[in-house]
Amino acid sequence: TKAAWLQDLNRRSEALIAIRKAVALSPNDGYAQMILSELLLEQGSLQESYQVASRANQLLKVEPASYLLKAKVAERLGLLKDAEATMSDGLNRYPTWIDLLLTRADLRYKLKEYKGVLQDTEKILKIVSVSHYNSRRKAIMLRIDSFKALGDKAAVKREYLWSLEADLNYRQVISDACLFFAKEGDSRSLAKAKKALSEFDLYYNK
């Protein structure tokens, strides 16, 4: 569309005018509504962006991205429960859609719904392969942080050791493992984590 083309050229104000015209001509075009909502969000018009995103979601129940957009705008407005409900609605239709699962897990962590985080991240780790680097790393870190928040040190240790043994090569996780084991006085596990960190740095700093 002309609006998308203008958006790509970073001509936001012109794109906004163009997409408003497109929506006025075709009010049932959910994809046009999504573009309008995104432009309004970038502009900071959160309330209107949310209204438009909600309309787009109603029109595009078969489009997973419409749930993610509505939830993103709702979160920006501070409507965290509404954002969670929107993502849950989307996951009822698309239970293995990683972006929705990961976004809901992150939101649930902010809401201190740690058991929900663990359920979502467990699903993610079962679905995604090692090649999905960022999704797996984020899911693992959310799991560990949730177990920490729950005060379950045994589970935290288990997650860190699993990440080391699985050779996932997530430096932040390995570094955090070193700090955790040092604080706990677990010299044996600390030695494993330090070895993994040393090997990581040696390999990636060649």
mmCIF file of all heavy atoms in Angstrom, residues 62-101:
data_model
loop_
_atom_site.group_PDB
_atom_site.id
_atom_site.type_symbol
_atom_site.label_atom_id
_atom_site.label_comp_id
_atom_site.label_asym_id
_atom_site.label_seq_id
_atom_site.Cartn_x
_atom_site.Cartn_y
_atom_site.Cartn_z
ATOM 1 N N VAL A 62 -8.092 -14.412 12.349
ATOM 2 C CA VAL A 62 -7.233 -15.452 11.774
ATOM 3 C C VAL A 62 -5.799 -14.964 11.604
ATOM 4 O O VAL A 62 -4.948 -15.707 11.099
ATOM 5 C CB VAL A 62 -7.771 -15.930 10.407
ATOM 6 C CG1 VAL A 62 -9.124 -16.593 10.577
ATOM 7 C CG2 VAL A 62 -7.869 -14.773 9.416
ATOM 8 N N GLU A 63 -5.511 -13.747 12.033
ATOM 9 C CA GLU A 63 -4.170 -13.181 11.884
ATOM 10 C C GLU A 63 -3.500 -13.074 13.256
ATOM 11 O O GLU A 63 -3.855 -12.223 14.071
ATOM 12 C CB GLU A 63 -4.251 -11.800 11.233
ATOM 13 C CG GLU A 63 -2.931 -11.038 11.179
ATOM 14 C CD GLU A 63 -1.836 -11.827 10.494
ATOM 15 O OE1 GLU A 63 -1.949 -12.039 9.270
ATOM 16 O OE2 GLU A 63 -0.882 -12.242 11.190
ATOM 17 N N PRO A 64 -2.512 -13.948 13.531
ATOM 18 C CA PRO A 64 -1.861 -13.927 14.849
ATOM 19 C C PRO A 64 -1.282 -12.571 15.237
ATOM 20 O O PRO A 64 -1.336 -12.178 16.395
ATOM 21 C CB PRO A 64 -0.757 -14.981 14.700
ATOM 22 C CG PRO A 64 -1.234 -15.893 13.616
ATOM 23 C CD PRO A 64 -1.983 -15.020 12.669
ATOM 24 N N ALA A 65 -0.740 -11.847 14.248
ATOM 25 C CA ALA A 65 -0.109 -10.562 14.558
ATOM 26 C C ALA A 65 -1.100 -9.538 15.105
ATOM 27 O O ALA A 65 -0.712 -8.608 15.815
ATOM 28 C CB ALA A 65 0.572 -10.003 13.307
ATOM 29 N N SER A 66 -2.387 -9.703 14.810
ATOM 30 C CA SER A 66 -3.375 -8.744 15.315
ATOM 31 C C SER A 66 -3.518 -8.844 16.831
ATOM 32 O O SER A 66 -3.784 -7.849 17.506
ATOM 33 C CB SER A 66 -4.727 -8.959 14.629
ATOM 34 O OG SER A 66 -5.368 -10.139 15.080
ATOM 35 N N TYR A 67 -3.338 -10.045 17.374
ATOM 36 C CA TYR A 67 -3.392 -10.225 18.830
ATOM 37 C C TYR A 67 -2.172 -9.581 19.480
ATOM 38 O O TYR A 67 -2.276 -8.919 20.517
ATOM 39 C CB TYR A 67 -3.441 -11.712 19.181
ATOM 40 C CG TYR A 67 -4.672 -12.426 18.686
ATOM 41 C CD1 TYR A 67 -4.674 -13.063 17.440
ATOM 42 C CD2 TYR A 67 -5.841 -12.463 19.434
ATOM 43 C CE1 TYR A 67 -5.801 -13.721 16.973
ATOM 44 C CE2 TYR A 67 -6.974 -13.118 18.972
ATOM 45 C CZ TYR A 67 -6.946 -13.741 17.732
ATOM 46 O OH TYR A 67 -8.063 -14.380 17.281
ATOM 47 N N LEU A 68 -1.029 -9.781 18.849
ATOM 48 C CA LEU A 68 0.212 -9.235 19.397
ATOM 49 C C LEU A 68 0.184 -7.714 19.396
ATOM 50 O O LEU A 68 0.607 -7.077 20.363
ATOM 51 C CB LEU A 68 1.411 -9.749 18.588
ATOM 52 C CG LEU A 68 2.797 -9.568 19.207
ATOM 53 C CD1 LEU A 68 2.884 -10.301 20.539
ATOM 54 C CD2 LEU A 68 3.864 -10.078 18.262
ATOM 55 N N LEU A 69 -0.331 -7.124 18.326
ATOM 56 C CA LEU A 69 -0.410 -5.664 18.239
ATOM 57 C C LEU A 69 -1.340 -5.102 19.302
ATOM 58 O O LEU A 69 -0.986 -4.155 20.012
ATOM 59 C CB LEU A 69 -0.890 -5.249 16.845
ATOM 60 C CG LEU A 69 -1.130 -3.747 16.646
ATOM 61 C CD1 LEU A 69 0.152 -2.959 16.883
ATOM 62 C CD2 LEU A 69 -1.686 -3.477 15.250
ATOM 63 N N LYS A 70 -2.538 -5.672 19.424
ATOM 64 C CA LYS A 70 -3.477 -5.180 20.426
ATOM 65 C C LYS A 70 -2.886 -5.302 21.832
ATOM 66 O O LYS A 70 -3.003 -4.384 22.655
ATOM 67 C CB LYS A 70 -4.795 -5.951 20.349
ATOM 68 C CG LYS A 70 -5.839 -5.466 21.354
ATOM 69 C CD LYS A 70 -7.096 -6.323 21.339
ATOM 70 C CE LYS A 70 -8.059 -5.897 22.435
ATOM 71 N NZ LYS A 70 -9.247 -6.791 22.511
ATOM 72 N N ALA A 71 -2.236 -6.426 22.101
ATOM 73 C CA ALA A 71 -1.630 -6.632 23.421
ATOM 74 C C ALA A 71 -0.502 -5.633 23.676
ATOM 75 O O ALA A 71 -0.356 -5.112 24.788
ATOM 76 C CB ALA A 71 -1.102 -8.060 23.534
ATOM 77 N N LYS A 72 0.295 -5.360 22.646
ATOM 78 C CA LYS A 72 1.413 -4.418 22.792
ATOM 79 C C LYS A 72 0.905 -3.022 23.141
ATOM 80 O O LYS A 72 1.445 -2.365 24.035
ATOM 81 C CB LYS A 72 2.226 -4.374 21.495
ATOM 82 C CG LYS A 72 3.394 -3.404 21.534
ATOM 83 C CD LYS A 72 4.302 -3.566 20.317
ATOM 84 C CE LYS A 72 3.635 -3.081 19.056
ATOM 85 N NZ LYS A 72 4.582 -3.087 17.894
ATOM 86 N N VAL A 73 -0.147 -2.583 22.452
ATOM 87 C CA VAL A 73 -0.700 -1.252 22.727
ATOM 88 C C VAL A 73 -1.344 -1.228 24.111
ATOM 89 O O VAL A 73 -1.188 -0.254 24.865
ATOM 90 C CB VAL A 73 -1.722 -0.842 21.653
ATOM 91 C CG1 VAL A 73 -2.224 0.574 21.930
ATOM 92 C CG2 VAL A 73 -1.114 -0.905 20.253
ATOM 93 N N ALA A 74 -2.044 -2.292 24.466
ATOM 94 C CA ALA A 74 -2.667 -2.364 25.789
ATOM 95 C C ALA A 74 -1.615 -2.267 26.894
ATOM 96 O O ALA A 74 -1.815 -1.569 27.894
ATOM 97 C CB ALA A 74 -3.460 -3.664 25.921
ATOM 98 N N GLU A 75 -0.494 -2.936 26.687
ATOM 99 C CA GLU A 75 0.579 -2.887 27.687
ATOM 100 C C GLU A 75 1.145 -1.477 27.803
ATOM 101 O O GLU A 75 1.419 -0.997 28.905
ATOM 102 C CB GLU A 75 1.685 -3.878 27.339
ATOM 103 C CG GLU A 75 2.762 -3.963 28.401
ATOM 104 C CD GLU A 75 3.797 -5.036 28.139
ATOM 105 O OE1 GLU A 75 3.663 -5.772 27.135
ATOM 106 O OE2 GLU A 75 4.753 -5.137 28.928
ATOM 107 N N ARG A 76 1.311 -0.806 26.672
ATOM 108 C CA ARG A 76 1.809 0.576 26.698
ATOM 109 C C ARG A 76 0.852 1.493 27.468
ATOM 110 O O ARG A 76 1.272 2.461 28.095
ATOM 111 C CB ARG A 76 1.983 1.093 25.265
ATOM 112 C CG ARG A 76 3.196 0.549 24.529
ATOM 113 C CD ARG A 76 4.478 1.280 24.916
ATOM 114 N NE ARG A 76 4.404 2.678 24.573
ATOM 115 C CZ ARG A 76 4.711 3.191 23.378
ATOM 116 N NH1 ARG A 76 5.093 2.390 22.387
ATOM 117 N NH2 ARG A 76 4.653 4.499 23.158
ATOM 118 N N LEU A 77 -0.439 1.179 27.412
ATOM 119 C CA LEU A 77 -1.437 1.961 28.144
ATOM 120 C C LEU A 77 -1.523 1.579 29.615
ATOM 121 O O LEU A 77 -2.233 2.210 30.386
ATOM 122 C CB LEU A 77 -2.820 1.769 27.497
ATOM 123 C CG LEU A 77 -3.140 2.641 26.278
ATOM 124 C CD1 LEU A 77 -4.393 2.124 25.577
ATOM 125 C CD2 LEU A 77 -3.314 4.096 26.686
ATOM 126 N N GLY A 78 -0.802 0.520 29.982
ATOM 127 C CA GLY A 78 -0.863 0.048 31.361
ATOM 128 C C GLY A 78 -2.001 -0.918 31.613
ATOM 129 O O GLY A 78 -2.278 -1.268 32.766
ATOM 130 N N LEU A 79 -2.652 -1.363 30.549
ATOM 131 C CA LEU A 79 -3.762 -2.315 30.681
ATOM 132 C C LEU A 79 -3.191 -3.740 30.621
ATOM 133 O O LEU A 79 -3.405 -4.488 29.662
ATOM 134 C CB LEU A 79 -4.785 -2.088 29.555
ATOM 135 C CG LEU A 79 -5.353 -0.668 29.442
ATOM 136 C CD1 LEU A 79 -6.222 -0.526 28.195
ATOM 137 C CD2 LEU A 79 -6.165 -0.336 30.698
ATOM 138 N N LEU A 80 -2.459 -4.097 31.647
ATOM 139 C CA LEU A 80 -1.706 -5.356 31.618
ATOM 140 C C LEU A 80 -2.611 -6.583 31.588
ATOM 141 O O LEU A 80 -2.332 -7.551 30.875
ATOM 142 C CB LEU A 80 -0.758 -5.416 32.816
ATOM 143 C CG LEU A 80 0.251 -4.266 32.935
ATOM 144 C CD1 LEU A 80 1.246 -4.553 34.054
ATOM 145 C CD2 LEU A 80 0.982 -4.036 31.621
ATOM 146 N N LYS A 81 -3.680 -6.556 32.343
ATOM 147 C CA LYS A 81 -4.600 -7.697 32.362
ATOM 148 C C LYS A 81 -5.289 -7.858 31.008
ATOM 149 O O LYS A 81 -5.520 -8.973 30.542
ATOM 150 C CB LYS A 81 -5.632 -7.536 33.471
ATOM 151 C CG LYS A 81 -5.092 -7.830 34.868
ATOM 152 C CD LYS A 81 -4.707 -9.303 35.006
ATOM 153 C CE LYS A 81 -4.281 -9.655 36.409
ATOM 154 N NZ LYS A 81 -3.900 -11.095 36.536
ATOM 155 N N ASP A 82 -5.611 -6.739 30.390
ATOM 156 C CA ASP A 82 -6.231 -6.788 29.071
ATOM 157 C C ASP A 82 -5.233 -7.338 28.046
ATOM 158 O O ASP A 82 -5.600 -8.125 27.168
ATOM 159 C CB ASP A 82 -6.693 -5.396 28.651
ATOM 160 C CG ASP A 82 -7.449 -5.424 27.333
ATOM 161 O OD1 ASP A 82 -8.630 -5.791 27.333
ATOM 162 O OD2 ASP A 82 -6.843 -5.099 26.290
ATOM 163 N N ALA A 83 -3.986 -6.919 28.172
ATOM 164 C CA ALA A 83 -2.944 -7.415 27.267
ATOM 165 C C ALA A 83 -2.787 -8.925 27.423
ATOM 166 O O ALA A 83 -2.685 -9.665 26.428
ATOM 167 C CB ALA A 83 -1.626 -6.709 27.555
ATOM 168 N N GLU A 84 -2.780 -9.388 28.674
ATOM 169 C CA GLU A 84 -2.642 -10.826 28.924
ATOM 170 C C GLU A 84 -3.830 -11.593 28.357
ATOM 171 O O GLU A 84 -3.671 -12.659 27.737
ATOM 172 C CB GLU A 84 -2.514 -11.091 30.419
ATOM 173 C CG GLU A 84 -2.293 -12.573 30.747
ATOM 174 C CD GLU A 84 -2.211 -12.850 32.230
ATOM 175 O OE1 GLU A 84 -2.648 -11.992 33.029
ATOM 176 O OE2 GLU A 84 -1.728 -13.931 32.600
ATOM 177 N N ALA A 85 -5.040 -11.047 28.541
ATOM 178 C CA ALA A 85 -6.250 -11.710 28.042
ATOM 179 C C ALA A 85 -6.233 -11.794 26.517
ATOM 180 O O ALA A 85 -6.642 -12.809 25.928
ATOM 181 C CB ALA A 85 -7.491 -10.957 28.511
ATOM 182 N N THR A 86 -5.744 -10.734 25.874
ATOM 183 C CA THR A 86 -5.657 -10.723 24.407
ATOM 184 C C THR A 86 -4.693 -11.798 23.914
ATOM 185 O O THR A 86 -4.993 -12.530 22.965
ATOM 186 C CB THR A 86 -5.187 -9.344 23.911
ATOM 187 O OG1 THR A 86 -6.145 -8.351 24.300
ATOM 188 C CG2 THR A 86 -5.036 -9.337 22.394
ATOM 189 N N MET A 87 -3.543 -11.908 24.571
ATOM 190 C CA MET A 87 -2.572 -12.924 24.165
ATOM 191 C C MET A 87 -3.103 -14.331 24.436
ATOM 192 O O MET A 87 -2.872 -15.254 23.641
ATOM 193 C CB MET A 87 -1.240 -12.688 24.878
ATOM 194 C CG MET A 87 -0.484 -11.497 24.310
ATOM 195 S SD MET A 87 1.123 -11.235 25.067
ATOM 196 C CE MET A 87 0.673 -10.337 26.548
ATOM 197 N N SER A 88 -3.814 -14.491 25.529
ATOM 198 C CA SER A 88 -4.405 -15.794 25.838
ATOM 199 C C SER A 88 -5.450 -16.171 24.790
ATOM 200 O O SER A 88 -5.534 -17.337 24.371
ATOM 201 C CB SER A 88 -5.033 -15.784 27.234
ATOM 202 O OG SER A 88 -4.041 -15.586 28.225
ATOM 203 N N ASP A 89 -6.223 -15.189 24.341
ATOM 204 C CA ASP A 89 -7.208 -15.414 23.286
ATOM 205 C C ASP A 89 -6.508 -15.873 22.011
ATOM 206 O O ASP A 89 -6.931 -16.828 21.349
ATOM 207 C CB ASP A 89 -7.995 -14.120 23.036
ATOM 208 C CG ASP A 89 -9.133 -14.318 22.036
ATOM 209 O OD1 ASP A 89 -9.578 -15.471 21.850
ATOM 210 O OD2 ASP A 89 -9.587 -13.314 21.448
ATOM 211 N N GLY A 90 -5.423 -15.200 21.677
ATOM 212 C CA GLY A 90 -4.663 -15.591 20.499
ATOM 213 C C GLY A 90 -4.070 -16.974 20.613
ATOM 214 O O GLY A 90 -4.069 -17.755 19.651
ATOM 215 N N LEU A 91 -3.605 -17.310 21.805
ATOM 216 C CA LEU A 91 -2.988 -18.625 22.012
ATOM 217 C C LEU A 91 -4.019 -19.744 22.035
ATOM 218 O O LEU A 91 -3.677 -20.906 21.790
ATOM 219 C CB LEU A 91 -2.166 -18.616 23.305
ATOM 220 C CG LEU A 91 -0.828 -17.862 23.180
ATOM 221 C CD1 LEU A 91 -0.242 -17.567 24.550
ATOM 222 C CD2 LEU A 91 0.163 -18.660 22.336
ATOM 223 N N ASN A 92 -5.258 -19.413 22.320
ATOM 224 C CA ASN A 92 -6.317 -20.422 22.205
ATOM 225 C C ASN A 92 -6.488 -20.860 20.758
ATOM 226 O O ASN A 92 -6.820 -22.011 20.470
ATOM 227 C CB ASN A 92 -7.647 -19.874 22.736
ATOM 228 C CG ASN A 92 -7.683 -19.803 24.253
ATOM 229 O OD1 ASN A 92 -6.970 -20.538 24.926
ATOM 230 N ND2 ASN A 92 -8.498 -18.917 24.791
ATOM 231 N N ARG A 93 -6.230 -19.917 19.840
ATOM 232 C CA ARG A 93 -6.321 -20.213 18.418
ATOM 233 C C ARG A 93 -4.999 -20.736 17.855
ATOM 234 O O ARG A 93 -4.973 -21.575 16.969
ATOM 235 C CB ARG A 93 -6.741 -18.960 17.645
ATOM 236 C CG ARG A 93 -8.174 -18.502 17.917
ATOM 237 C CD ARG A 93 -8.435 -17.140 17.285
ATOM 238 N NE ARG A 93 -9.808 -16.710 17.516
ATOM 239 C CZ ARG A 93 -10.813 -16.930 16.682
ATOM 240 N NH1 ARG A 93 -10.604 -17.588 15.559
ATOM 241 N NH2 ARG A 93 -12.027 -16.491 16.964
ATOM 242 N N TYR A 94 -3.903 -20.195 18.362
ATOM 243 C CA TYR A 94 -2.569 -20.541 17.854
ATOM 244 C C TYR A 94 -1.675 -20.921 19.043
ATOM 245 O O TYR A 94 -0.821 -20.141 19.455
ATOM 246 C CB TYR A 94 -1.973 -19.365 17.077
ATOM 247 C CG TYR A 94 -2.857 -18.860 15.970
ATOM 248 C CD1 TYR A 94 -3.687 -17.744 16.172
ATOM 249 C CD2 TYR A 94 -2.903 -19.509 14.742
ATOM 250 C CE1 TYR A 94 -4.523 -17.292 15.165
ATOM 251 C CE2 TYR A 94 -3.731 -19.056 13.725
ATOM 252 C CZ TYR A 94 -4.543 -17.944 13.943
ATOM 253 O OH TYR A 94 -5.364 -17.504 12.945
ATOM 254 N N PRO A 95 -1.875 -22.105 19.620
ATOM 255 C CA PRO A 95 -1.198 -22.470 20.875
ATOM 256 C C PRO A 95 0.319 -22.611 20.791
ATOM 257 O O PRO A 95 0.985 -22.632 21.817
ATOM 258 C CB PRO A 95 -1.851 -23.805 21.241
ATOM 259 C CG PRO A 95 -2.386 -24.341 19.960
ATOM 260 C CD PRO A 95 -2.810 -23.142 19.169
ATOM 261 N N THR A 96 0.863 -22.688 19.587
ATOM 262 C CA THR A 96 2.318 -22.867 19.468
ATOM 263 C C THR A 96 2.998 -21.642 18.844
ATOM 264 O O THR A 96 4.137 -21.740 18.394
ATOM 265 C CB THR A 96 2.648 -24.115 18.622
ATOM 266 O OG1 THR A 96 2.080 -23.965 17.302
ATOM 267 C CG2 THR A 96 2.108 -25.373 19.272
ATOM 268 N N TRP A 97 2.303 -20.512 18.817
ATOM 269 C CA TRP A 97 2.909 -19.320 18.216
ATOM 270 C C TRP A 97 3.884 -18.705 19.208
ATOM 271 O O TRP A 97 3.497 -18.170 20.250
ATOM 272 C CB TRP A 97 1.838 -18.328 17.796
ATOM 273 C CG TRP A 97 2.337 -17.368 16.756
ATOM 274 C CD1 TRP A 97 3.094 -17.651 15.659
ATOM 275 C CD2 TRP A 97 2.138 -15.959 16.745
ATOM 276 N NE1 TRP A 97 3.359 -16.514 14.953
ATOM 277 C CE2 TRP A 97 2.787 -15.457 15.588
ATOM 278 C CE3 TRP A 97 1.460 -15.066 17.570
ATOM 279 C CZ2 TRP A 97 2.785 -14.120 15.247
ATOM 280 C CZ3 TRP A 97 1.461 -13.722 17.226
ATOM 281 C CH2 TRP A 97 2.119 -13.260 16.083
ATOM 282 N N ILE A 98 5.174 -18.791 18.888
ATOM 283 C CA ILE A 98 6.241 -18.458 19.831
ATOM 284 C C ILE A 98 6.200 -17.000 20.283
ATOM 285 O O ILE A 98 6.373 -16.707 21.472
ATOM 286 C CB ILE A 98 7.623 -18.786 19.213
ATOM 287 C CG1 ILE A 98 7.729 -20.281 18.917
ATOM 288 C CG2 ILE A 98 8.743 -18.353 20.166
ATOM 289 C CD1 ILE A 98 7.517 -21.163 20.125
ATOM 290 N N ASP A 99 5.998 -16.070 19.363
ATOM 291 C CA ASP A 99 6.002 -14.650 19.737
ATOM 292 C C ASP A 99 4.940 -14.339 20.799
ATOM 293 O O ASP A 99 5.187 -13.573 21.734
ATOM 294 C CB ASP A 99 5.775 -13.773 18.510
ATOM 295 C CG ASP A 99 7.002 -13.695 17.613
ATOM 296 O OD1 ASP A 99 8.085 -14.083 18.073
ATOM 297 O OD2 ASP A 99 6.872 -13.263 16.457
ATOM 298 N N LEU A 100 3.769 -14.936 20.638
ATOM 299 C CA LEU A 100 2.712 -14.720 21.624
ATOM 300 C C LEU A 100 3.056 -15.365 22.959
ATOM 301 O O LEU A 100 2.848 -14.772 24.023
ATOM 302 C CB LEU A 100 1.383 -15.274 21.114
ATOM 303 C CG LEU A 100 0.466 -14.308 20.344
ATOM 304 C CD1 LEU A 100 -0.780 -15.038 19.868
ATOM 305 C CD2 LEU A 100 0.074 -13.117 21.205
ATOM 306 N N LEU A 101 3.574 -16.584 22.922
ATOM 307 C CA LEU A 101 3.951 -17.279 24.154
ATOM 308 C C LEU A 101 5.024 -16.499 24.917
ATOM 309 O O LEU A 101 4.930 -16.314 26.132
ATOM 310 C CB LEU A 101 4.469 -18.683 23.845
ATOM 311 C CG LEU A 101 3.436 -19.790 23.681
ATOM 312 C CD1 LEU A 101 4.093 -21.051 23.124
ATOM 313 C CD2 LEU A 101 2.764 -20.104 25.015
#
